[in-house]
């Protein structure tokens, strides 16, 4: 490395320290920017990036991971089940780019905006990686002037959060969303979203769960009734949202010390948020003296009652819990909100793991309007399935030996004990492939018989075709059942039929329960 | 906007012009960087991005697009067919993050490196969006010390290229790769890759095609025999690669003027690259006086002959063309290379469209070693299916009315002419959903019968359940066939069975041929 460059690198480090100390001291934005601009100028002087000394570490980016074939099998298996449910409810599929103009994301996520990944300014547009699939959906609806859409979208989103990878929290992770956009009658699409969640959680069979529901208008009315000023509704709401992780005492302290709620108001809120129940609770609250005075509270309660009625008709009443402590973090919800949580820890090997929230969503009627030049609204309600948590539970079960996974679909392996039989193997493989049979063989010219059979066992390939010179001369080949080790001679010319008959009678699964 | 900011914006524009003019004048890198650093400093002064005046344009980022439900149906349909072929050959599925440490991509793409999207330095690692799926595969193999893998990977990749969206060239686009890694016998996995390509192109049925093959060692030997110096092999090779778009005269000029090849050498190359044929051509070239002296040429020719022999056994000989003009752009190929091209323009509506290359790949034995600290090699061969071109052809056919697409899978619509029948509809829907029947109904309380039937026709929903008070009192419901308009009364209690029987006898396709 040139000496001049070393000096430059030292300067960059020094300047970086200055910026960091200013930030730590929470100095004025102006002062920080001034020093940042010096830092950028120094970095630019470094010139082409190949001049930077490279200490190469072989890894994926922080907070990201590869999916290996076992993980992909689990993932695709779960997603297939979810998509089946989405399609059963008539959802169409869309996709949007992984990055958006930064302006599209600006002002949508409140405090969390700092977690957005920006792209480098390489000349041209200023871009950011998508943070969720909801804002791109709203952009899509507004841009294409679409008023009604029932869509699902499964894709990765990006957040520069502190990763907790063992618990399934990554910087790059899947979202799996189902949303209904359109001007419809109250709670009809909303209740269908809840039905969708129950169908998915039932088919994935991950454990007992409860679907908590609440209503943003009721929360607003409750804050109003408790004496919280209008402009503090949202921030008080995000404090209430922490009740699933923190005690009421902690939440109360945050309300008073950080959000400027009076102790009296906080205590009144505290009485409400410990309430949960069914339609009877909603009816009781309708008669609550303080809430009855709030138009929003009445609106919210009427909404909840209608929703609970529809849920009863849909046969999912026993899975729903009206819970006044449910608040949800995001600003954009305007109506019903909901969250599915597992009611008991999951057993993985000999350990138990608490999973928590596994799906969530709600109504957001004003988001699309933020993108429309005339602020035309398209009301929306949707749900996001927490697939990463589901994946991480299943991966832990795999690691603990509770389940086993088959990563390739191969049904037939073409083997031989004979030397110089590669061409014959190729010929048979081509015939099977052309018949649509999932087939493999060794890419070695003269593989050992033992290795070939071992490959079948390791990959749970159910059948092998064993080619031998003497059999072929008699117009025969052997079919070997890998599990039972039984071998049958069949006519070479009816090999395809014979294999198809046998395969049709086998029940080959991708994911199996406890391994023997 | 503050006046100071306006002045600053003017300065930024001015400074931007200076940088652009320096770049246009191909000034020294040092001089350009100096002015770029000034520009960056000015931009940094602008401060937090919310201070930047926002002229909000509702669009996706340049060179990217949304996929609407019709496009997604086409896309998923094509990908499903491709995945079926990949799985038939025993491929497992993996996935890697959308971004990699920039160092992983550095030095892998030659001149094209300038097209890589970098992420902004937000503190932490320096990241770039993936440029293809091959380099991440090599990183994955080296990082996990995997010696053998047959995998497919379907994901979006990113190139800051000039988009030509009508021709299916985007900055964000799908790649669809099948690769075989491992130390195997010559041309066995290579020929299987060609078989995979033919199976895919046959099942997608996009038109007649030819699979051109060549060998990098033969190209090297040819350059050697023609008198091109060693250090000019790669750059001469990328010039030859342009022969699919440019005339020989143009390629010859570039070789001589830009790549420093002598006119005599260029003319000798010109004689070779017009050759193509089958195994007989390879045999003839083995006897070519100039080539016979080159070890690489002989190696390449032997490889080609073995490959062609295996292709004959695999029954795909008539689709393969040994073509000495095939060079492929990427540096990392070390053995066989191939490319599938459509042999005739595709008819779309009344127009004809030339599509060109639709799949390509080859052997790259040294890429994994670039990531291994001990430079341990894992030989690889693979193929990438040009799905974006396939999508764009099918989308054009859709636009021209040559094909039609059904974007949702719904089989049954629950309708009524009765007012206040929402709850009854919900009850029936829940029953059908629980039976796994893909069902929809109106989210309106009192929808008009005509609108409900219209919805069925527009979305090609084959059956409607029509609920009426008088029928229900008699324990009956009507099933309506949307196409024939025939209505049958069936017992309410056997509705699920009746629907399942009818649906089983229908043949409902997602994509149909010419619309009536």
């Amino acid at each position: 490395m040139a000496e001049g460059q070393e000096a430059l690198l030292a300067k960059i480090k020094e300047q970086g320290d200055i910026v960091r100390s200013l930030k730590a001291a929470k100095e004025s934005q102006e002062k920080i920017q001034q020093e940042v601009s010096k830092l950028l100028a120094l970095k630019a002087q470094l010139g082409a990036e190949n001049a930077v000394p490279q200490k190469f570490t072989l890894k994926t980016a922080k907070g990201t991971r590869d999916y290996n074939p076992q993980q992909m099998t689990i993932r695709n298996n779960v997603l297939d089940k979810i998509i089946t449910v989405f399609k059963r409810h008539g959802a169409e599929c869309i996709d949007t780019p992984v990055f958006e103009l930064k302006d599209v994301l600006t002002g949508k996520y409140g405090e969390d905006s700092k977690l957005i990944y920006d792209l480098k300014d390489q000349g041209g547009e200023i871009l950011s990686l998508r943070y969720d699939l909801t804002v791109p959906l709203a952009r899509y609806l507004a841009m294409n002037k679409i008023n009604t859409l029932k869509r699902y979208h499964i894709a990765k989103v990006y957040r520069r959060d502190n990763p907790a990878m063992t618990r399934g929290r990554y910087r790059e992770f899947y979202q799996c969303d189902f949303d209904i956009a359109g001007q419809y009658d109250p709670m009809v699409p909303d209740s269908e979203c809840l039905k969708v969640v129950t169908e998915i959680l039932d088919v994935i069979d991950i454990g007992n769960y409860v679907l908590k529901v609440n209503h943003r208008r009721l929360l607003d009315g409750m804050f109003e009734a408790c004496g919280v000023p209008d402009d503090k509704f949202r921030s008080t709401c995000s404090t209430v949202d922490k009740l699933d992780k923190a005690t009421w005492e902690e939440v109360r302290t945050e309300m008073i010390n950080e959000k400027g709620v009076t102790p009296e108001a906080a205590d009144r809120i505290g009485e409400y948020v410990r309430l949960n129940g069914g339609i009877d609770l909603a009816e009781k609250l309708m008669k609550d003296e303080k809430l009855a005075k709030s138009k929003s509270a009445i609106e919210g309660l009427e909404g909840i009652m209608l929703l609970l009625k529809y849920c009863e008709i849909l046969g999912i009443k026993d899975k729903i819990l009206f819970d006044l402590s449910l608040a949800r973090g995001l600003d954009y919800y305007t109506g019903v909100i909901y969250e599915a949580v597992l009611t008991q820890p999951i057993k993985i090997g000999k350990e138990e793991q608490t999973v928590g929230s596994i799906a969530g969503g709600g109504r957001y009627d004003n988001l699309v309007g933020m993108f429309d030049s005339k602020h035309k609204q398209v009301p929306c309600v949707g749900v996001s399935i927490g697939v990463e948590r589901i994946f991480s539970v299943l991966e832990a079960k795999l690691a603990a030996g509770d389940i086993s996974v088959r990563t390739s679909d191969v049904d037939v392996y073409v083997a031989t004990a004979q030397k110089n039989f590669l061409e014959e193997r190729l010929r048979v493989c081509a015939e099977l492939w052309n018949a649509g049979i999932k087939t493999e063989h060794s890419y070695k010219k003269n593989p050992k018989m033992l290795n070939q059979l071992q490959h079948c066992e390791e990959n749970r390939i159910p059948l092998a075709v064993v080619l031998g010179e003497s059999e072929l001369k008699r117009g025969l080949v052997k079919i070997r059942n890998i599990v039972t080790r039984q071998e049958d001679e069949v006519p070479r010319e009816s090999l395809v039929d014979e294999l198809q008959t046998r395969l049709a009678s086998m029940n080959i699964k991708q994911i199996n329960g406890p391994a023997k």
Side-chain angles (χ1 to χ4, degrees), chain A:
Chain A
M1 188 171 22
E3 216 172 310
Q5 275 207 334
E6 247 175 30
L8 192 53
L9 285 170
K11 267 195 215 167
I12 287 174
K13 193 183 168 302
E14 203 178 311
Q15 186 65 23
D17 288 341
I18 293 172
V19 170
R20 272 183 289 278
S21 65
L22 289 178
K23 282 185 180 170
K26 301 206 173 171
E27 283 281 356
S28 77
Q29 203 55 29
E30 194 188 353
K31 207 161 177 179
I32 293 173
Q33 279 304 336
Q34 213 172 0
E35 298 300 326
V36 165
S37 76
K38 284 188 203 162
L39 177 62
L40 288 172
L42 283 170
K43 282 191 179 177
Q45 273 183 47
L46 256 187
E49 63 266 12
N50 50 19
V52 181
Q54 301 210 355
K55 202 192 151 216
F56 193 80
T57 319
L58 201 56
K59 65 185 283 294
T60 60
K62 184 181 175 188
T64 71
R65 59 162 173 175
D66 299 315
Y67 282 82
N68 67 30
Q70 290 196 316
Q71 292 162 332
M72 283 303 281
T73 305
I74 287 175
R75 187 192 101 176
N76 288 335
N77 200 282
V78 169
L79 293 182
D80 280 351
K81 287 177 181 169
I82 293 174
I83 291 170
T84 300
V85 175
F86 289 162
K87 287 189 169 179
R88 189 184 299 150
H89 288 261
E92 301 177 309
C93 183
I94 72 162
D95 196 15
T96 63
V98 80
F99 45 68
E100 296 276 348
L101 299 185
K102 186 169 177 57
D103 289 349
V104 167
L105 307 191
T106 303
K108 308 301 183 302
Y109 302 106
E111 282 178 23
D112 287 347
S113 293
K114 64 179 185 295
L115 303 181
I116 294 173
Y117 276 98
D118 293 330
L119 268 73
K120 190 170 157 184
D121 181 1
Q122 292 171 289
E125 299 162 335
I126 304 300
L127 307 172
S128 302
L129 297 186
R130 64 182 160 212
Y131 183 84
D132 66 9
L133 303 177
T134 312
V135 168
L137 170 65
R139 192 265 307 145
Y140 173 84
L141 293 172
M143 185 176 130
N144 298 294
K145 309 224 172 289
I146 295 170
N147 298 319
T148 63
L149 180 70
K150 181 159 53 183
R151 79 91 178 82
Y152 70 91
H153 189 184
I154 298 174
K156 287 177 178 174
V157 302
Y158 300 86
R159 300 185 184 176
R160 295 178 58 252
D161 215 336
N162 278 327
M165 324 239 285
T166 48
R167 280 160 46 218
R169 209 168 76 206
Y170 294 87
R171 288 181 160 197
E172 175 187 58
F173 61 95
Y174 273 88
Q175 281 204 338
C176 187
D177 285 15
F178 172 91
D179 292 80
I180 302 173
Q183 187 72 57
Y184 297 120
D185 277 305
M187 296 298 161
V188 186
D190 313 58
S191 56
E192 185 163 334
C193 286
L194 294 178
K195 172 77 173 132
V196 164
V197 174
T198 63
E199 286 179 36
I200 287 169
L201 297 183
D202 289 347
V203 73
I204 287 176
D205 195 22
I206 201 172
N208 293 331
Y209 61 91
V210 61
L211 248 170
K212 295 181 184 177
V213 302
N214 199 2
H215 200 293
R216 272 284 164 93
R217 300 289 291 148
L218 172 58
L219 281 167
D220 288 350
M222 182 179 93
F223 295 140
E224 190 189 337
C226 294
V228 177
D230 286 23
D231 60 336
K232 285 176 181 150
F233 282 5
R234 279 294 145 270
S235 62
T236 312
C237 195
S238 53
T239 305
V240 170
D241 184 50
K242 294 176 183 167
L243 271 176
D244 57 341
K245 280 163 205 138
T247 65
W248 166 248
E249 265 318 303
E250 289 164 333
V251 166
R252 182 179 181 275
T253 309
E254 182 176 318
M255 275 189 193
I256 296 167
N257 295 351
E258 292 176 35
K259 304 299 165 85
V261 174
T262 65
E264 297 71 33
D267 290 335
R268 278 182 222 123
I269 293 171
E271 276 167 43
Y272 284 116
V273 295
R274 68 193 58 172
L275 301 176
N276 60 64
I279 208 155
D280 44 333
L281 173 62
E283 279 163 3
K284 203 181 101 189
L285 289 175
M286 281 294 265
K287 292 171 202 147
D288 180 284
E289 223 172 273
K290 277 185 299 217
L291 291 180
K293 283 182 204 145
S294 156
K295 203 173 145 256
S296 332
I298 296 298
E299 241 183 84
L301 284 168
E302 282 172 350
I304 286 289
M305 286 198 292
L306 190 60
L307 179 74
L308 293 178
K309 188 172 106 182
Y310 290 160
C311 286
E312 185 170 356
I313 296 173
L314 291 172
I316 56 171
K317 180 187 151 194
D318 56 330
K319 284 159 182 165
I320 310 283
L321 181 73
F322 169 35
D323 187 332
L324 273 86
S325 74
L326 178 69
R328 306 269 312 152
L330 284 169
D331 276 5
Y332 54 59
Y333 291 119
T334 55
V336 62
I337 46 177
Y338 38 78
E339 195 164 290
V341 289
L342 295 190
T343 48
Q344 55 206 42
I346 296 211
K347 225 181 144 196
I348 294 162
K350 283 169 187 164
E351 313 244 318
E352 295 208 322
Q353 190 180 314
T354 314
V355 177
S357 166
I358 206 149
R363 175 161 285 283
Y364 50 100
D365 285 349
N366 302 334
L367 191 58
V368 178
M370 291 174 76
F371 291 105
D372 189 88
S373 52
K374 287 166 192 156
H375 300 289
K376 192 174 161 280
Q377 302 294 359
V378 178
C380 295
V381 62
V383 63
S384 189
I385 308 296
V387 284
E388 291 290 348
R389 296 222 170 149
I390 298 169
F391 297 158
S392 80
V393 167
L394 292 175
E395 283 174 26
K397 285 190 175 189
L398 179 71
D402 292 352
I403 56 170
S404 67
V405 163
R406 192 171 175 247
T407 56
S408 105
D409 284 359
V410 173
D411 285 329
V412 176
Y413 192 89
V414 178
T416 183
Q418 217 87 36
K419 283 219 168 180
N420 299 318
F421 245 51
L422 171 61
E423 296 186 11
E424 195 54 41
R425 279 192 278 133
L426 284 176
R427 210 166 280 127
V428 173
C429 282
E431 190 179 329
L432 303 192
W433 287 325
N434 291 343
I437 297 174
K438 295 167 220 150
T439 307
E440 260 186 340
H441 72 124
S442 169
Y443 294 136
K444 301 213 165 155
K445 246 179 146 160
N446 295 313
K448 295 207 177 84
M449 191 63 190
L450 190 66
N451 293 347
Q452 295 174 79
L453 294 180
Q454 224 162 30
H455 180 94
C456 295
E457 277 171 23
E458 277 163 14
N459 294 280
R460 300 206 219 152
I461 301 173
L463 297 177
V465 173
V466 184
L467 303 177
E469 209 170 358
S470 65
E471 291 91 354
L472 276 175
K473 274 184 187 153
R474 291 182 287 137
L476 298 172
V477 288
K478 269 193 264 186
I479 297 179
R480 181 186 171 106
N481 183 313
I482 296 297
V483 175
T484 65
R485 299 187 177 187
Q486 190 186 316
E487 291 191 345
D488 299 317
E489 287 188 344
V490 304
R492 168 72 184 82
E493 59 191 26
S494 57
L495 177 60
V496 165
D497 288 343
E498 288 283 347
L499 289 170
Q500 279 168 338
T501 311
R502 274 155 218 249
L503 289 170
S505 69
M506 289 173 156
N507 176 23
I508 308 153
K509 279 189 200 161
Q510 285 303 106
I511 297 186
N512 284 286
K516 275 167 273 183

